Each structure stands twice: as structure tokens, then as C-alpha cells.
Amino acid sequence: MTRFEELVQKRRSHRTFTQEMIDAEDVKTILRAALMSPTSKGNRSWQFVVVDDKLLIEKLSDAKDMGGQFLKNAPLAIVVLGNPSVNDCWVEDCSIAAVSMQYQAEQLGLGSCWAQMRNRGLSDGTSADEVIRGILDIPEELSVLCVIGVGHKASERKLQDEEALRWENVHVNVF
Ligand SMILES: Cc1cc2nc3c(=O)[nH]c(=O)nc-3n(C[C@H](O)[C@H](O)[C@H](O)COP(=O)(O)O)c2cc1C
């Protein structure tokens, strides 16, 4: 098993994938990581929509003008949703779940990338949230944070550069 120290260095955003589908067990393992992630007050109010239908994924990739197109190449898209009316930390909880899935995907040898949807949308003023709500029939009380595209990596990426880490952003005791 990959050590966490290696995993954090190896994880990079992957936006190109082969067309190979993801093993059902791997999909379950990725969702398991989300469901085990920490939440404010332990409220676990996130919801996830696992999308493997090519047509639906294509529609999701067009939910905003820029930055979501890579989803078209992904065999799997996981839509991460929170409920702002019951959870003032829904953004934090959903973010932690999303990134937990990204690390789990990496540990399985899969690539992933986050497509931001909250506060994003189309140039005509339609929010990505509204578009996705229409595509996936999402209940009114839920909001979309992001969509995580997952797939078999089309190519490897460089490890994170140990020398480029911003240690100057870390302060000890006082800023
Ligand atoms: C909150 C957040 C939003 C992001 N939104 C997008 C996005 O909409 N489209 C995209 O291609 N990448 C997106 N990314 C991926 C970042 O561009 C990527 O993590 C960053 O460039 C660092 O590269 P790395 O992940 O390879 O280390 C997002 C990442 C985060 C954490």
C-alpha cells in the first residue's frame, strides 16, 4: 500500500483519461472514503451522485463556461452536494469528502480532478448549480459544490516538486 507521504506527493490533477471503465469495487472504495470523511458536528449531510452515463457526463461538462470541459473525457463523475439549510459547514464538509475521494482514487492508481461548480456558471447568468440540478433531478434543498472527474490516467504527471513547497507560508507560534 502506498504510504501517505508518497500519496500526497504523487496526487496531481488529471484531466485526460483512457476510455477504460472503472472497476465497480474501486468506485465503491472511492465513495467509502467520502462517507468516512470528517464532518462538522458529525452531521454527514452530504450527498453524492455517481454518474457513469457518457451522455450525462457530457452535459455536466457544459454546466459552466470554463474549466469543466475535461469532464467529457472522464468515465466517472461524482457530483458532491450539500444542504446549506441544515449545515453551515456544508462547503467544508463537501470539500473534505471530495478531496478524500481524490486521495483514494490516487491510491488505487486512478487519476482525478476537481471541477468547481459553486459560484460558477454560464455567461448568460445561469448558475452551474441550476444546470446540474436540471440534468440530475436534484432536490431543491441541495447545492452543488463540485464534480470530481475520475478515470484511468492517460499519462503520468510529475511528482509535486519538493523544492517548490511554500514553507514560507508556514508560521510558528506567531505570524
Ligand atoms: C477548489 C478547487 C477548484 C478547482 N476547480 C477546478 C476546475 O474547475 N477545473 C479544473 O480543471 N481544475 C480545477 N481544480 C484543480 C486545480 O486547478 C489544481 O488542483 C491546481 O492547479 C493544482 O494542481 P495539482 O492538483 O496537479 O497539484 C480545482 C481545485 C480546487 C481545490
Side-chain angles (χ1 to χ4, degrees):
M1 194 185 286
T2 324
R3 289 164 61 231
F4 195 71
E5 294 95 309
E6 291 168 23
L7 198 62
V8 292
Q9 187 171 19
K10 199 157 187 280
R11 186 221 52 81
R12 299 296 313 278
S13 293
H14 284 267
R15 299 179 179 85
T16 55
F17 308 99
T18 70
Q19 282 314 295
E20 189 184 341
M21 292 304 285
I22 300 173
D23 187 85
E25 268 308 305
D26 285 354
V27 177
K28 192 172 173 190
T29 305
I30 291 168
L31 269 302
R32 173 181 177 271
L35 297 174
M36 281 192 178
S37 65
T39 52
S40 166
K41 299 178 188 167
N43 88 21
R44 301 181 181 183
S45 61
W46 17 235
Q47 302 280 335
F48 306 95
V49 184
V50 180
V51 186
D52 61 5
D53 180 292
K54 208 171 164 38
L55 205 68
L56 288 177
I57 293 176
E58 260 183 53
K59 287 184 182 172
L60 291 176
S61 76
D62 290 329
K64 61 173 181 171
D65 283 329
M66 280 180 350
Q69 292 300 312
F70 77 86
L71 287 170
K72 273 195 178 70
N73 309 308
L76 183 76
I78 303 170
V79 182
V80 183
L81 305 151
N83 188 336
S85 61
V86 300
N87 182 2
D88 63 349
C89 288
W90 77 273
V91 173
E92 291 85 347
D93 289 353
C94 288
S95 299
I96 294 165
V99 86
S100 298
M101 291 194 282
Q102 290 198 269
Y103 281 115
Q104 181 61 76
E106 182 61 52
Q107 199 266 331
L108 292 167
L110 298 165
S112 74
C113 187
W114 177 309
Q116 178 69 14
M117 295 300 172
R118 189 177 72 92
N119 292 339
R120 299 287 185 271
L122 301 170
S123 50
D124 69 2
T126 316
S127 69
D129 190 272
E130 206 177 320
V131 178
I132 295 175
R133 189 175 294 287
I135 301 167
L136 302 177
D137 207 13
I138 290 165
E140 196 59 44
E141 66 274 15
L142 299 177
S143 294
V144 183
L145 176 74
C146 65
V147 179
I148 304 295
V150 186
H152 291 270
K153 301 170 186 175
S155 58
E156 281 301 329
R157 289 200 60 189
K158 278 190 190 160
L159 297 181
Q160 303 242 19
D161 181 0
E162 200 79 55
E163 302 308 313
L165 298 183
R166 297 201 181 168
W167 285 106
E168 69 276 17
N169 292 6
V170 180
H171 311 275
V172 180
N173 291 330
V174 287
F175 191 89

